[in-house]
């Protein structure tokens, strides 16, 4: 292993360590979250590590991490193991499959793509699983580390560009950019650039037409799935049946 890579891995382990709890408490119990998740959903997570702190600052968002739900694609878990129902990109382990318990105690949000066919969801999952074992882009680690020393006076318009600092090598990955590539592979929009053009109709009137332009995957961050007009925000407490009359309030 090269000295630079060795330093990068040690830095990654340091940044991945959780800090004192500073995130919101989870708004959904694990059983409700598990019952609501579907294959193809994107789960956003508010992490508590040093690395998550930098991501949340640069994106001015609650969300620091994103993972794809793959449901029962991998089949039943071995005895004593939990089902691995997500593919994500870990700063230390790279692209991996994990159980829901990995995110235990963390605030999370389900973002659901709308209208996908089963074969499109399968292609999405296959894209992610085919990249299992790819390492995290360590250049991104060095770029983000400096933001943990002192909060930089960065204009809001530049924060997204500062996240697009990875090496861009096909053998490296970052969580939101890999997900962006996966959805791009099935032509499903997240936050594309939208061009509005005037088009003449048979009646001689002008109509507005929208043309979508793919935005480079390196410019995507976890919050984009939250604000995207093409993803439904699914709240487990509501999806599993909510009755405010059944709530128990302290006198």
């Amino acid at each position: 292993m090269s000295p630079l890579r060795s330093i990068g891995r040690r830095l990654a382990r340091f940044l991945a360590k959780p800090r004192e709890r500073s995130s919101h408490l989870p708004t959904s119990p694990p059983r409700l979250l598990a019952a609501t998740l579907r294959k193809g959903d994107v789960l956003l997570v508010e992490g508590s590590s040093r690395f998550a702190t930098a991501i949340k600052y640069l994106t001015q968002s609650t969300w620091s991490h994103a993972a794809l739900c793959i449901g029962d694609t991998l089949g039943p878990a071995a005895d004593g193991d939990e089902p691995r129902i997500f593919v994500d990109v870990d700063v230390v382990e790279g692209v991996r499959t994990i159980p829901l318990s990995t995110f235990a105690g963390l605030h999370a949000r389900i973002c659901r793509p709308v209208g996908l066919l089963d074969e499109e969801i399968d292609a999405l999952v296959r894209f992610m699983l085919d990249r299992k074992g790819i390492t995290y882009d360590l250049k991104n680690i060095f770029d983000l580390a400096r933001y943990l020393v002192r909060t930089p006076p960065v204009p809001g318009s530049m924060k997204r560009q500062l996240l697009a600092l990875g090496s861009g090598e096909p053998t490296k990955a970052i969580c939101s950019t890999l997900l962006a590539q996966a959805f791009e592979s099935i032509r499903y929009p997240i936050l594309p650039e939208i061009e509005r053009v005037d088009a003449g109709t048979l009646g001689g009137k002008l109509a507005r037409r929208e043309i979508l332009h793919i935005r480079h995957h390196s410019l995507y961050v976890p919050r984009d799935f939250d604000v995207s007009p093409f993803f439904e925000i699914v709240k487990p407490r509501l999806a599993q049946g909510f009755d405010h009359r059944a709530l128990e309030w302290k006198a």
Side-chain angles (χ1 to χ4, degrees):
M1 181 182 296
S2 68
L4 185 62
R5 183 169 179 79
S6 177
I7 293 171
R9 290 190 66 84
R10 287 199 297 271
L11 181 57
R13 286 192 290 269
F14 170 76
L15 295 177
K17 290 181 179 179
R19 309 180 75 176
E20 291 185 11
R21 180 68 65 194
S22 59
S23 63
H24 298 95
L25 292 175
T27 53
S28 301
R31 61 177 182 82
L32 287 184
L33 195 60
T36 307
L37 281 163
R38 294 182 190 170
K39 186 177 176 181
D41 286 349
V42 173
L43 187 71
L44 303 182
V45 180
E46 180 185 12
S48 59
S49 68
R50 296 177 175 87
F51 188 79
T53 299
I55 296 292
K56 288 187 285 187
Y57 168 75
L58 287 173
T59 62
Q60 291 294 282
S61 169
T62 297
W63 313 114
S64 63
H65 191 70
L68 182 74
C69 179
I70 61 173
D72 60 358
T73 300
L74 299 179
D79 290 343
D81 289 341
E82 300 175 76
R84 295 178 176 267
I85 64 170
F86 290 105
V87 180
D88 82 333
V89 186
D90 179 68
V91 67
V92 175
E93 299 179 28
V95 183
R96 60 180 185 169
T97 55
I98 54 173
L100 178 58
S101 62
T102 302
F103 304 128
L106 298 177
H107 186 37
R109 170 163 292 171
I110 298 173
C111 301
R112 179 167 295 161
V114 176
L116 289 183
L117 301 175
D118 289 344
E119 51 265 35
E120 290 175 311
I121 295 175
D122 288 340
L124 186 69
V125 170
R126 187 165 57 251
F127 183 98
M128 296 292 286
L129 287 175
D130 284 348
R131 283 145 184 84
K132 185 178 177 182
I134 290 177
T135 57
Y136 194 91
D137 193 339
L138 293 178
K139 184 178 185 300
N140 190 254
I141 297 288
F142 288 109
D143 291 329
L144 286 174
R146 62 174 174 262
Y147 296 102
L148 298 173
V149 178
R150 183 178 67 87
T151 301
V154 181
S157 60
M158 292 180 59
K159 286 175 180 146
R160 183 179 295 275
Q161 282 71 24
L162 287 172
L163 280 174
L165 296 175
S167 65
E169 296 178 23
T171 56
K172 308 292 182 183
I174 300 172
C175 67
S176 52
T177 62
L178 186 61
L179 276 169
Q181 288 177 291
F183 279 98
E184 181 181 315
S185 74
I186 60 169
R187 305 292 289 182
Y188 192 87
I190 304 170
L191 272 182
E193 302 289 348
I194 299 178
E195 177 188 5
R196 291 179 173 84
V197 298
D198 292 328
T201 65
L202 293 177
K205 297 180 179 179
L206 287 178
R208 300 291 285 177
R209 191 159 58 99
E210 291 186 347
I211 299 176
L212 304 185
H213 296 269
I214 294 174
R215 188 150 49 102
H216 195 270
H217 58 262
S218 68
L219 295 177
Y220 280 98
V221 296
R223 71 179 290 272
D224 289 337
F225 294 94
D226 188 11
V227 301
S228 170
F230 308 107
F231 282 75
E232 177 186 2
I233 303 304
V234 182
K235 300 185 177 182
R237 289 185 184 273
L238 302 183
Q240 297 302 316
F242 170 70
D243 180 3
H244 70 279
R245 300 173 190 83
L247 296 176
E248 183 176 344
W249 295 88
K250 184 176 181 179

